[in-house]
Amino acid sequence: MRTLYYLFQTAVKNFWHEKLINALTVLTVALGLMILGAFTLITLNMDLSLRQWAKGFGLIVYLKDNMTLEDVELLKEYFKKDKDIIEVNYISKDEALKELKQTLGAANPILGGFEENPLPSSFELRLERRALEPLRIKQKAEHIRQIAWVEDVQYGEKWLSSLNSLSKGINVIAIILGSVIFIATAFVTYSTIKILFYRRAEEIETLKLLGATRSFIMLPFLIEGLFIGILGGIIGLFTLQGIYMFATSKIIEFLPSIKGATTSFPFTAYLLPPFTGALMSLIGSIFAVGRIRY
Amino acid sequence: MIQLSNVSKYFDNEYVLKDITFLIDKGALVYITGPSGAGKTTLLRLIYMAERPDEGNIIVAGWDIGKLSRNSIPFLRRSIGVVFQDFRLLQNITIFDNVALALRVQGGRPKDIKETVSGLLSDIGLKYKANDFPQHLSGGQQQMAAIARAVVSKPMLLIADEPTGNLDPDASANIMKLFREINLRGTTVVIATHHRELFRDTGKRVIYLENGRIGKDTIG
Ligand SMILES: Nc1ncnc2c1ncn2[C@@H]1O[C@H](COP(=O)(O)OP(=O)(O)O)[C@@H](O)[C@H]1O
Ligand SMILES: [Mg+2]
């Protein structure tokens, strides 16, 4: 324990002794983690927006005219049992007409041409977010279409699939970028620790002669690497938070309607940069120090 | 304390040490001498395990070095102090911390370390330099501090490779006096030097190396 304390002190001293190179490394790591954090935020916001849009997304099931009220109830129960469906709305012929009148204006001449209400009754089904896969939703629609009372099923097929590929694309980019930054962070720390290790080569030889164990020699370097990662993460985090708050306030200024669609700075984004930084820098330092030979 | 049996060491297929056999008793003070390039440094490096012999056996403090696992080297090194011509003090820590380092690698208690190191620095007259950095000390003082670091953990064996090579005659005399004192307290001391004045008329054993072989083994 006391040895650990001493090694920690040594790491602090060494870190301070090599201020310049360490500061540069910290800033590089900070920049990388900031980009990583930014992408996490964009992904999270994108996902949130998709979820909100998805709330308004549903299947419209047009029904045949000859249904009794009991049939309607039966069908409603059937839909409600489906786990993918989170909301079931029945719209009768009359309601549909009322809606149409409201949209078009009651005096619209289009409406005058019909003796009888031409609109079908329908169900509006809102779906769970996870069910909003193009393929899955298509199967669902086909399935519902098989039901005897159903005339037709409609949904925003093209819109859904483009939204879906957009979301997937962003995820892929985030994963690739994330991995690149992970590796870059590890590598940047690796190079710095390697340089520091070589600079202290004589010192290390002396330590070995004094009977220092491997961990006694290694630990200050690993702790120094950890400092780099954590500091870089924290600096990156606060810069990112500043930029994010500034950016969202500006966006809301111009686009007030988007307000609900942005997340507040989420907890994940707080933890991610320092954590990633620490982990990757530690890995980098472990590789940099390598195997100490006697 | 040290036993070499038919030890040879090669670099680039040329021998640097050939068929060396000798025994150094516990508590002895022994000089190893010979011209530059004779193999003195290599011989010492074999003893403190910085090199491994290509042939023969080395036994130090009862340990057969050839059979020692690499992981136990640090622990055996703690019973051997080593001193060099160029002092090898760490430049960015104080004299006190340099000496204390030998105890810290062993995980000593801070309070004990402080006591032991302060006491030792007082004994050798360097107490007033304890908080200075090595570059603020004379060569002789730095070597004193390096010797203090080598013996602070009370090793059984002290090895010195040309310890006076960078020092003026006065400082050299002081250093040699310190080695004799350390030896009198029971530590086995081995000093490699090519300065004949250091061992002339000391009455101590002198091993002469010539081209990697033992030429003479006499009393100085
Ligand atoms: N690591 C090494 N690689 C190759 N040759 C070496 C190495 N170390 C020492 N030598 C050679 O071994 C010989 C003895 O060197 P050394 O032991 O330093 O002698 P001394 O200390 O007596 O001057 C010299 O010829 C030197 O060049
Ligand atoms: Mg030499």
Side-chain angles (χ1 to χ4, degrees), chain B residues 11-12 16 35-42:
Chain B
F11 286 119
D12 314 317
V16 174
S36 185
K40 303 183 290 297
T41 296
T42 308

Side-chain angles (χ1 to χ4, degrees), chain B residues 140-159:
Chain B
Q141 289 171 328
Q142 290 192 48
Q143 192 62 299
M144 286 276 191
I147 294 170
R149 184 179 65 188
V151 298
V152 71
S153 62
K154 305 204 164 43
M156 296 184 281
L157 174 64
L158 177 61
I159 293 173

Side-chain angles (χ1 to χ4, degrees), chain A residues 244-264:
Chain A
Y244 184 72
M245 301 223 279
F246 180 76
T248 43
S249 73
K250 281 285 163 211
I251 290 172
I252 288 171
E253 209 171 283
F254 288 109
L255 280 169
S257 66
I258 209 164
K259 198 160 188 172
T262 60
T263 56
S264 58

Side-chain angles (χ1 to χ4, degrees), chain A residues 190-203:
Chain A
Y190 167 87
S191 333
T192 300
I193 297 294
K194 196 95 196 164
I195 290 169
L196 297 181
F197 192 77
Y198 281 132
R199 275 196 195 168
R200 279 181 229 146
E202 264 182 49
E203 200 176 315

